[in-house]
Amino acid sequence: MISFEGKTEKRSLMATAASMGLVIVILVFALFYIIFGHTLGWFASNDSVEAEGMQVAAANNGYEFVVQRTTEYDSLLNGEPKYEDVALLKSTLAAAPYHYDLTAVSTAAASKLAYELQNDAPFRDDNEYWYFLMPGACGSMTFYIHPFSSEGVQANMELTLGCFGVVIDENDRRVVREVTSENVLNMLKGHIIFFTERRVDANDPTDTDKFKYNGLITDGTISYDTTQHTPTTMTLNGEQISVYEITLYWEWPLTYYDISEKTGNTAFADRYPPELLTYMNAHRNWFFAVNQNSNDPDDLSDGYNDGDQMIGESANYFAAFISPIV
Amino acid sequence: MRGKELNISLKGRIAALVLVLLLSLTVLAAPVFAWFSFSRILASYAPISKPESLYIGAGHRDFDETNGVFLNDHFEDIRYLYLEGIDVHNDDTYYDYVFCVFGKAITHYRMQLAYTTNNQFIYEIYNATEYTAAEYGALAQAQQDLCVEYTTHDATPATYYYKATGTALPGNYLNAQTVGGETLATDSYHTATYGAYDEVDKFAEPIYWQTRDNINGNRRGDFIHYYILRVYVNNKQDNDRETDVICIAAKSFSAAS
């Protein structure tokens, strides 16, 4: 093989490469390593690039997300979009830039992916099912972790909630913008709550009234150690890969009384786990838009309803974001 | 550059060749690495149902008819609707009470009533016209006699007058029947009302009624509609202090229904 010891030799190599128009290519790849941090010793002609790269992600603890897309929110009804402003939402997501293409199953060429949240409690109107988020709705969010290494990965992730509202911009155009009001974002954390576990009724598994939850996500973090789980195989871009499925369960409790009366003393004793009450009392301003300091259930119920109203008036679309904590 | 190129040694040429090979391998490998490296953040989105703003209040609300907007936040809470003063010994055959339905961005809605039947009263809903005190003063005595008075509960109370117009809103009963001269509810909605509990007095089984037609709201803005609830004494002779519960509801429907 070739020797890289001689300084002169190296220079002559670079000169040759330059004459062949390859320096640009080298720079491009150097850039790749800076961004993605794959250390490939045999090509590390630039020490500083290598060092910088290693800080971002070591080759054996990285992972990517894989999702499966559904197309309910792209449906048409009588030739019109069934869900108003979904095209506007997508153009806002695309500017972020999130990829939401329907056809691409893989994660290729996308650092950010957007896909539909699963809603298990549609309402029926005129023989048509509508998958809107609203008080009383519940569902799930599934994604897959694909570790880069067969040794597995300890994935620490952050769950954040956001929402998008339709506004008329300065040019009089109808646009969808991410809602930045802290009050509204706080209200999301108290009204659209996420769990890591859900049990269904054995005899009636689709009856959403019989769902029971556990594993309330209180601090917006999720940890998943793939070495403690069994992977499943999926075909991605024609290749068989091992992935780990993570499903989170969300619910928008219908009323304050649903929370106060359906929270059990132990996990799965009732619909909600005991920590929900602790969480609610620790973050009253996330649950109640008014009457936060009251202990009268009717006042709290009013406050919760006003919180629902605040979300509904501010937001046309909800989004749950998952990002790795590095 | 050209001169230098000509001076490359054999070793240099081999090195260049290997480098080119290595680079071309990297080019092939790059998409695979890229594919593993991307997708670091996910967003899962869903549409949120906009809350419908449809409310029932008692009397007056300040409203700009021309622009279709409420002038302030004050409205008369439905708790100010008092069904009081019904005297069955009086010669009057009916009593009128004003209430309103107001909202925002509602395509259309229907009025609904649910009531128990202890008193055998008859209920009707009429559209109502609002008169200010000055407009009321200009009415003929006979017209004034048809009006109900309503005084607001805000900082500067004002009195308004309401008169039923036209005929009663046409509607349909879901579960009414006439038994021995009495109007009673059938048992078809018993379970929906009381569940499995079956020791319910026949007069406590509510009758459900709904307007036949959709009533247009205002898809693009605010609206307020005034109504008269007319309670007919229905030949009841005794002031026997019977109690009835009546629920008034306005329910919005999607455009297609």
Side-chain angles (χ1 to χ4, degrees):
Chain A
M1 273 297 285
I2 194 164
S3 157
F4 277 84
E5 288 117 56
K7 228 179 177 182
T8 327
E9 205 161 55
K10 213 174 194 174
R11 203 175 292 132
S12 74
L13 250 182
M14 294 311 286
T16 314
S19 73
M20 297 171 81
L22 287 170
V23 166
I24 291 165
V25 179
I26 292 167
L27 285 178
V28 167
F29 281 100
L31 212 61
F32 262 107
Y33 300 127
I34 294 169
I35 296 171
F36 303 113
H38 290 289
T39 52
L40 300 171
W42 51 265
F43 192 66
S45 59
N46 184 329
D47 286 347
S48 68
V49 169
E50 186 183 83
E52 227 176 299
M54 286 177 72
Q55 287 172 347
V56 182
N60 66 352
N61 71 354
Y63 60 93
E64 66 175 348
F65 292 127
V66 181
V67 298
Q68 257 176 325
R69 289 197 169 93
T70 54
T71 58
E72 166 62 25
Y73 308 144
D74 297 312
S75 311
L76 298 180
L77 187 64
N78 303 325
E80 298 283 324
K82 183 173 163 186
Y83 299 95
E84 233 177 356
D85 301 314
V86 71
L88 295 178
L89 171 79
K90 285 180 166 184
S91 56
T92 302
L93 287 172
Y98 281 94
H99 283 245
Y100 55 80
D101 312 44
L102 303 177
T103 48
V105 179
S106 84
T107 59
S111 59
K112 295 177 172 183
L113 289 178
Y115 69 119
E116 296 183 347
L117 191 68
Q118 175 73 28
N119 186 342
D120 295 333
F123 69 88
R124 194 173 181 177
D125 194 17
D126 299 329
N127 292 324
E128 187 71 29
Y129 285 101
W130 295 85
Y131 292 81
F132 276 116
L133 256 65
M134 57 204 298
C138 59
S140 61
M141 175 181 182
T142 297
F143 55 92
Y144 302 87
I145 283 184
H146 177 216
F148 294 149
S149 157
S150 57
E151 286 166 27
V153 66
Q154 166 69 45
N156 295 314
M157 295 158 281
E158 188 176 23
L159 168 72
T160 47
L161 309 182
C163 56
F164 297 83
V166 173
V167 292
I168 306 299
D169 75 359
E170 49 280 9
N171 297 319
D172 235 14
R173 288 174 312 190
R174 192 177 166 85
V175 293
V176 163
R177 282 200 181 143
E178 189 160 4
V179 174
T180 54
S181 157
E182 201 178 334
N183 285 339
V184 176
L185 295 177
N186 278 341
M187 214 49 74
L188 289 180
K189 290 185 274 190
H191 287 241
I192 303 174
I193 45 184
F194 278 75
F195 302 90
T196 55
E197 281 182 89
R198 182 176 81 186
R199 282 190 191 165
V200 298
D201 185 77
N203 299 318
D204 209 353
T206 57
D207 187 345
T208 56
D209 288 341
K210 293 176 180 166
F211 286 173
K212 289 181 177 179
Y213 300 95
N214 194 29
L216 176 71
I217 298 174
T218 55
D219 61 354
T221 61
I222 308 155
S223 286
Y224 189 91
D225 184 353
T226 61
T227 62
Q228 302 300 309
H229 296 86
T230 312
T232 52
T233 307
M234 80 162 43
T235 306
L236 192 62
N237 288 358
E239 234 183 281
Q240 292 265 315
I241 57 169
S242 288
V243 294
Y244 297 84
E245 179 183 326
I246 298 183
T247 299
L248 306 178
Y249 302 94
W250 59 267
E251 173 153 321
W252 187 337
L254 185 59
T255 65
Y256 163 74
Y257 291 107
D258 279 77
I259 298 173
S260 66
E261 290 170 7
K262 294 179 185 171
T263 299
N265 291 326
T266 54
F268 295 119
D270 207 334
R271 188 174 187 84
Y272 304 115
E275 62 263 31
L276 181 56
L277 290 184
T278 320
Y279 178 68
M280 184 166 70
N281 280 317
H283 305 287
R284 284 179 161 233
N285 60 325
W286 296 359
F287 284 79
F288 311 113
V290 294
N291 303 334
Q292 285 158 11
N293 298 319
S294 173
N295 283 316
D296 179 343
D298 286 344
D299 286 350
L300 295 175
S301 178
D302 278 356
Y304 185 85
N305 287 345
D306 283 7
D308 285 340
Q309 188 82 10
M310 185 193 281
I311 295 170
E313 283 175 356
S314 315
N316 297 63
Y317 280 88
F318 166 80
F321 301 96
I322 301 276
S323 53
I325 300 170
V326 287
Chain B
M1 289 294 273
R2 183 154 292 275
K4 257 188 182 172
E5 202 181 333
L6 289 172
N7 291 333
I8 293 173
S9 66
L10 179 64
K11 209 174 173 187
R13 281 170 200 268
I14 293 167
L17 187 66
V18 171
L19 178 64
V20 168
L21 278 174
L22 278 177
L23 282 173
S24 59
L25 277 177
T26 318
V27 169
L28 285 176
V32 179
F33 279 114
W35 175 64
F36 281 133
S37 306
F38 288 99
S39 178
R40 301 292 285 172
I41 292 177
L42 296 179
S44 190
Y45 60 91
I48 294 178
S49 178
K50 298 303 281 182
E52 289 169 333
S53 306
L54 184 62
Y55 304 91
I56 288 186
H60 176 80
R61 178 160 191 185
D62 290 336
F63 184 67
D64 177 349
E65 296 271 356
T66 315
N67 297 309
V69 289
F70 296 123
L71 295 173
N72 51 49
D73 289 336
H74 181 80
F75 63 93
E76 293 293 308
D77 195 281
I78 189 62
R79 70 177 183 270
Y80 296 124
L81 172 62
Y82 300 118
L83 294 186
E84 59 183 359
I86 297 178
D87 179 359
V88 297
H89 284 160
N90 196 297
D91 289 340
D92 291 339
T93 56
Y94 64 79
Y95 293 84
D96 281 352
Y97 303 94
V98 64
F99 68 94
C100 69
V101 173
F102 61 92
K104 176 193 283 297
I106 296 288
T107 309
H108 46 226
Y109 65 94
R110 289 182 190 179
M111 296 302 307
Q112 298 177 330
L113 290 177
Y115 55 91
T116 55
T117 55
N118 288 311
N119 279 302
Q120 291 292 305
F121 289 164
I122 294 170
Y123 303 95
E124 287 182 339
I125 297 176
Y126 289 77
N127 288 309
T129 306
E130 184 184 65
Y131 300 97
T132 62
E135 289 165 343
Y136 174 79
L139 291 177
Q141 181 66 47
Q143 293 295 306
Q144 286 184 350
D145 290 346
L146 296 174
C147 290
V148 274
E149 186 180 304
Y150 185 88
T151 301
T152 61
H153 298 76
D154 49 354
T156 51
T159 298
Y160 295 86
Y161 298 85
Y162 300 87
K163 183 165 74 72
T165 58
T167 53
L169 298 182
N172 300 304
Y173 291 100
L174 275 182
N175 59 340
Q177 60 177 347
T178 305
V179 181
E182 289 178 323
T183 304
L184 299 173
T186 66
D187 58 5
S188 54
Y189 284 82
H190 173 84
T191 311
T193 312
Y194 290 106
Y197 183 69
D198 59 2
E199 298 187 6
V200 177
D201 185 274
K202 63 179 180 179
F203 301 112
E205 197 75 67
I207 288 177
Y208 294 107
W209 176 91
Q210 180 176 264
T211 52
R212 186 191 65 200
D213 305 318
N214 286 327
I215 302 163
N216 290 330
N218 181 358
R219 182 74 188 89
R220 297 176 188 284
D222 301 339
F223 72 93
I224 182 161
H225 295 156
Y226 295 105
Y227 293 101
I228 294 286
L229 175 69
R230 182 162 289 178
V231 183
Y232 288 90
V233 171
N234 194 20
N235 295 320
K236 187 181 173 82
Q237 299 297 319
D238 307 326
N239 263 333
D240 53 7
R241 296 184 180 276
E242 279 288 2
T243 303
D244 271 313
V245 175
I246 176 164
C247 297
I248 309 171
K251 179 168 181 2
S252 75
F253 289 85
S254 68
S257 65

